Structures are given as C-alpha cells and as structure tokens.
Amino acid sequence: MSFTHLRAASGYSLRYGASHPHALAERVAEWGLDALALTDRDSPAGAVRFAKACAGAGIRPLFGVDLAVPGVPVSGPGSAERQRTPARGGAFVTETPQRAVFLTRNERGWAELCRLVTAASDQGVTWEDLSCPEGELFVLLGADSERQRSHQPGVPLRQRASGEGFVLSTRRDVGAGLRSARLGRRTASDALARPFGFALRLHRATLLGFAAGLCLMGVMYGSILGEAADMVKNVEQLQEALKDIGGAGMAEAFASMVMVVVAVVASVYVVMAALRPRAEENAGRAEPLLATGLSRNRWLGSHIAVALTGGTALLVLAGLGFGVSGAASAGDGGLVLELTGAAAAYAPALWVTVGVAVLLFGWFPRAGAAAWIVPVYAFLVGYLGPILQLPDRMTNLSPFGHVPQLPAAATAWTPLLALTTVAAGLIALGLAGFRRRDLDTK
C-alpha cells in the first residue's frame, strides 16, 4: 500500500504514547503497510529498538522527532496557554502550542535531528537552530501551525462544527453500556508521582483481595476455636499432632496450627508482589520508567516495600479477625491481642520469602517462578508435617519452621531476629544483582 503513517508515538513518549516500538511495527505489518515513521516526543530514544523491530517485521523504518518550535502566540478562543499542575515538589511546566515533526532523509539528516534534540533539551529550539542544509530534514507543520491557520478562512465554521460534534459525542452510547461511565478524578493523586505510591496502586487490587480473604479466614477459624477440643476428639492423628505442639489446652494448640495456614496464604501474596517487577519488565513497562531519573533501587525498592508492608498488614488483619472471633467463641477477651501477636510473629518468615523472590529476580530473573517453592514447601511441612510426623530437619529447611508456634509456645526473639537479618541480606543481594544485569526487553 502507498499510505504511510508519518506520525506515531511509542512508550518512549512519556504521557503521550503507550505502545512498545515492536508492537507498532507488528501492527503496521498486519495492516499490509510497507513503512512507518516513529516520531516520539522530544527524544529519539526508541529509534534503535524501532529499527530492529521493523527489520524483523519486514517494513521500512522512518525516523523523526516531535519537537517544540518557536512561534507567535495566536489570539482568539482557545489560544490561552494552560499551565499544568505539577506533582508535589515539581515545577510548573508550560507547553508551547507550536510543535513540528522533523523526519530524517539521510545520515546527515539524522545528525541534524540529533543536534536539534540536543538544543531542545538544553535551552529550547531557536530559529537559528532550525537552519540546516536543504534536503536533509522534512518538516511536518500540522493543521495547528500558523501557516496552516492563515490559509483556513473557515475557522469559525470549523470551531462550531467541533463544538456540535463534542455535544453529540457526550450523548451517544459508547460500548453499549447500561450505565454511563463514571468519571474519574480530575487530577491524579500526588502519591502516584512517588515510586511507592505508584507501586501501591499497581498492587492495590491484589492486596485488597487477599486482605478480605484472610480476614474471613481468621473469622471462620475463630468461630470454631471454642469447640476445637470436641472437633478433634475422634481424629487420633490430629490429636497427637496438637499434643506435640503443646500449649495450655487444645484450643491454643489448634490456634498455633491455624497460624501456619494463615502465614502460608499471606506468603502467596508476598511472592506475587515480589515477582510483580518481573511482570512489569517482561511487559516493557519498566524500561520507559527507568529511562527517566528514577533509579533501579527506588523502582524495585518500592515494590519490595509494598510486599513487606502488605504481607505484614495481612498477617495482622488475619490475626485480629481470628482473635476477635475466637474471643467471642471461647469467651476469653485476652485472645484478641494474643492471636494478633501470634500472627504477626510470622512476619520475618514472610520477609525471608520476599528476599528469596528478590534474589531470584535480581540475579536469575528467568528462574523467578522458583520462589513459589517457599510457600508450597512451608505448607507441606508446617501444616501437614505434624500430622504426617515428618522429621524436624525437614521443617527447619523452611523459614516458617523457625518461628515460635504462638500462642502455644513461648516467645523467642532470637530466631525472629535471625530471620530478619537473613531477609535483609537476601534483599540487598537481589538489589545488587538487579543493578548489574540488563533488562529483558523485546
């Protein structure tokens, strides 16, 4: 086909593009087009990957950049400059309405284009910067340029038609929905401008789902805590397992066994959260973020922080639900704090689980799925181990096997501090590995 898109933005145009260069090339090839121009905003950062993607798709790559150019402000409706509201700690940015697309024609044109990009990032493009040898660059002014507006006597009619079209667009049915779409907030939260806030937004749905599930699990187990002795009196193996756990009574031993299940379920979340950076990397969403001033430590550290704090919060919430429901079932108000603390004691084991996932992500990203061995093994030896009477050496291989089985056992701080130290070491090693390795990109 003879048609060619001469203006396309990729994910390297932050806030203006979302597609990876290889996705653009593949889509153009599907449409049967033989060429495509990548004109990212203010930067040719995606040019190399775009060239490789076009070579693989069998299409001709055209290179260009969308740059701001000097111009005379235009008076009239809609000509007032709009000042963007910055994120907290940022500066106000006023975008010039005059922009043009510069396309390279040959190698010298590419050199001139790089010179213009450098000038634009330094102090802005001037009329002197735009002077280059004839024939090396093509300039696409667009419909909003001063030259085009001077040749359009029907501007009032066009503005009226645009207004009527906008009114009609607000009344037509989009997507055949039964209800109109709920409008979002006019401005994004300031927290999204920070790495932790942005990571928390990515994890929010998963975290809330696990929170609801673990809270209900705690309430369910707590409701039968007062009848635990009657429930297991006819199950000999379970009775022996609960006796081995110890405690002042059958209810305490049962609560200690349940805490292992709660901790294992919480560990499923922390593995998912710790491996989320790998999913972002594979999807091509990490590279544009790390191409900015955001460091690798801050980016990965924000996901680690969400995994650590989120997992700990899940334990506390499940323990609180277990304690409140158990106190009502057993008639002992002291169980609320006792069971909440027993659940929180498994936090260092969760942190070790996060450390294992981060270590794999940093040094062996393709083997990140091996982190699932930790929660699976913890369930086998922690919950089924006492019933199957597995040897203690198998239990000691799991970080959860070193946590005191509260409330039946006495509190021991040494293993908890040791687990915390191991977790910190694993996370530090994982961060070091991530700083050294290359990103996996398509």
Side-chain angles (χ1 to χ4, degrees), residues 45-370:
V48 175
R49 299 191 184 280
F50 176 65
K52 293 180 179 179
C54 289
I59 64 174
R60 177 189 174 192
L62 304 175
F63 304 100
V65 175
D66 182 345
L67 292 176
V69 295
V72 180
V74 180
S75 60
S79 62
E81 293 184 349
R82 180 172 62 90
Q83 199 170 37
R84 292 184 175 273
T85 302
R88 183 176 297 175
F92 284 95
V93 177
T94 302
E95 296 186 354
T96 173
Q98 307 297 329
R99 301 191 69 88
V101 173
F102 295 83
L103 296 174
T104 64
R105 184 174 182 179
N106 47 38
E107 294 182 1
R108 295 184 62 186
W110 173 258
E112 289 296 327
L113 181 65
C114 293
R115 182 181 62 81
L116 287 178
V117 172
T118 302
S121 62
D122 185 14
Q123 297 180 350
V125 177
T126 64
W127 287 112
E128 290 76 12
D129 294 324
L130 294 178
S131 60
C132 64
E134 183 178 357
E136 294 181 358
L137 289 176
F138 294 107
V139 181
L140 306 182
L141 297 179
D144 294 330
S145 66
E146 298 172 11
R147 182 180 182 88
Q148 291 296 327
R149 278 196 291 264
S150 65
H151 294 285
Q152 295 176 358
V155 170
L157 180 61
R158 185 183 65 178
Q159 292 178 343
R160 178 180 176 183
S162 299
E164 293 177 352
F166 173 76
V167 173
L168 291 176
S169 68
T170 61
R171 298 183 179 181
R172 69 182 179 91
D173 190 8
V174 179
L178 297 177
R179 299 175 57 188
S180 59
R182 183 175 63 88
L183 297 179
R185 297 175 56 182
R186 185 178 297 273
T187 58
S189 170
D190 290 341
L192 292 180
R194 303 180 181 88
F196 180 80
F198 186 69
L200 182 61
R201 177 62 182 85
L202 294 177
H203 293 260
R204 183 177 64 180
T206 305
L207 181 58
L208 291 178
F210 271 89
L214 280 171
C215 184
L216 290 176
M217 177 185 293
V219 171
M220 179 191 69
Y221 277 117
S223 64
I224 61 175
L225 186 60
E227 304 172 358
D230 295 333
M231 292 176 57
V232 302
K233 64 181 180 180
N234 295 326
V235 186
E236 184 177 352
Q237 288 183 329
L238 190 56
Q239 280 186 339
E240 293 180 358
L242 293 176
K243 289 180 181 178
D244 292 338
I245 293 176
M250 195 65 70
E252 280 193 355
F254 178 76
S256 299
M257 181 177 287
V258 170
M259 288 303 174
V260 177
V261 181
V262 171
V264 169
V265 175
S267 70
V268 173
Y269 163 75
V270 299
V271 172
M272 294 176 63
L275 294 181
R276 179 61 185 264
R278 177 60 178 170
E280 295 294 305
E281 180 182 2
N282 287 338
R285 294 188 290 266
E287 185 180 14
L289 289 175
L290 295 176
T292 64
L294 179 63
S295 67
R296 291 194 176 198
N297 276 351
R298 292 184 65 197
W299 178 74
L300 180 56
S302 64
H303 288 275
I304 296 173
V306 173
L308 295 175
T309 57
T312 305
L314 290 178
L315 288 176
V316 173
L317 182 61
L320 182 61
F322 193 11
V324 172
S325 180
S329 175
D332 184 3
L335 288 175
V336 177
L337 293 179
E338 189 176 5
L339 295 181
T340 302
Y346 281 91
L350 285 189
W351 301 341
V352 172
T353 306
V354 174
V356 172
V358 173
L359 179 67
L360 291 172
F361 172 73
W363 291 94
F364 313 101
R366 296 185 180 181

